[in-house]
Amino acid sequence: MPLILIAEDEPKIAQLLMDYLHSHGFETVWVEDGAKVVAIFEEKNPDAVLLDLMLPNRDGLEICRDLRNRSETPILMLTARADEIDRVTGLEIGADDYICKPFSPREVVARVKSVLRRSQVALKTEVSTEVGLVWDEPTRSARIGQHVLDLTPNEFNLLGVLFQNPERVFSRNQLMDRLYNDGRIVTDRTIDSHIKNLRKKLEEHGLGEKIVAIYGVGYKWDPTK
Ligand code: CA
């Protein structure tokens, strides 16, 4: 059974999440204190983390960054602050998804299943190489030359879709379908935000221009750039 770490300081919310996750076949471990999240994470090695943005003793964003530096384990941020969404999914923080409070437990379970599925995408034996970029599905790693790119699961999947279909233009909706196959609605901004972050990481190696925005349509990988 997948183990979900719940970092949430409101007992009622935590209990609701635990009850719902248990009834859907998950195991859970609960931590209230922000200062203890990383230690519990290291001890329990969960399959995914539900992380409240506002925790006592340590900021949720800081915890998220810390966890991301240690592991690729999917992180879902729980936030009541819509203005934090860009930062949460942004480059420096690297959360895989976010859930706005108030949420329905049903939605949380669907999102947890979705991030787990994406992080365990079928092991295709696929390696694509071009201009020194290697996108390797079996190890879920991408590298340029000897340098391994530090990508979130969403960025890795997005890179794979574009990179393996050079010149093909994908609309934001099509990219959303590839990333979020649970039928939920995410905004165009979410895709734009992931693309922006992915580009920044490619830019460090002179490949930022490979991802081209097609005005009014979406994005494509341009092998000629
Ligand atoms: Ca809180």
Side-chain angles (χ1 to χ4, degrees), residues 8-10 52 54:
E8 168 62 67
D9 60 315
E10 289 169 65
D52 185 26
M54 304 288 274

Side-chain angles (χ1 to χ4, degrees), residues 127-151:
V127 179
S128 305
T129 320
E130 187 207 311
V131 289
L133 173 61
V134 176
W135 184 89
D136 185 25
E137 177 77 58
T139 61
R140 293 196 60 76
S141 67
R143 60 182 191 276
I144 296 172
Q146 296 298 313
H147 185 94
V148 176
L149 293 172
D150 185 17
L151 303 179

Side-chain angles (χ1 to χ4, degrees), residues 171-173 176 185-195 217 219:
S171 70
R172 289 179 178 80
N173 278 330
M176 282 180 217
I185 309 296
V186 294
T187 66
D188 286 2
R189 237 167 43 141
T190 309
I191 295 294
D192 290 343
S193 167
H194 289 314
I195 290 275
V217 186
Y219 296 96

Side-chain angles (χ1 to χ4, degrees), residues 78-137:
L78 304 174
T79 175
R81 293 161 59 183
D83 60 315
E84 286 286 2
I85 288 168
D86 278 347
R87 284 187 64 203
V88 163
T89 57
L91 177 66
E92 47 165 345
I93 305 301
D96 296 277
D97 203 353
Y98 59 86
I99 298 167
C100 286
K101 291 180 177 179
F103 48 75
S104 73
R106 181 197 297 267
E107 180 190 9
V108 174
V109 170
R111 300 279 194 99
V112 167
K113 285 183 176 170
S114 173
V115 290
L116 288 175
R117 203 163 44 226
R118 295 201 307 266
S119 75
Q120 299 156 355
V121 171
L123 295 179
K124 287 187 282 174
T125 52
E126 186 117 49
V127 179
S128 305
T129 320
E130 187 207 311
V131 289
L133 173 61
V134 176
W135 184 89
D136 185 25
E137 177 77 58

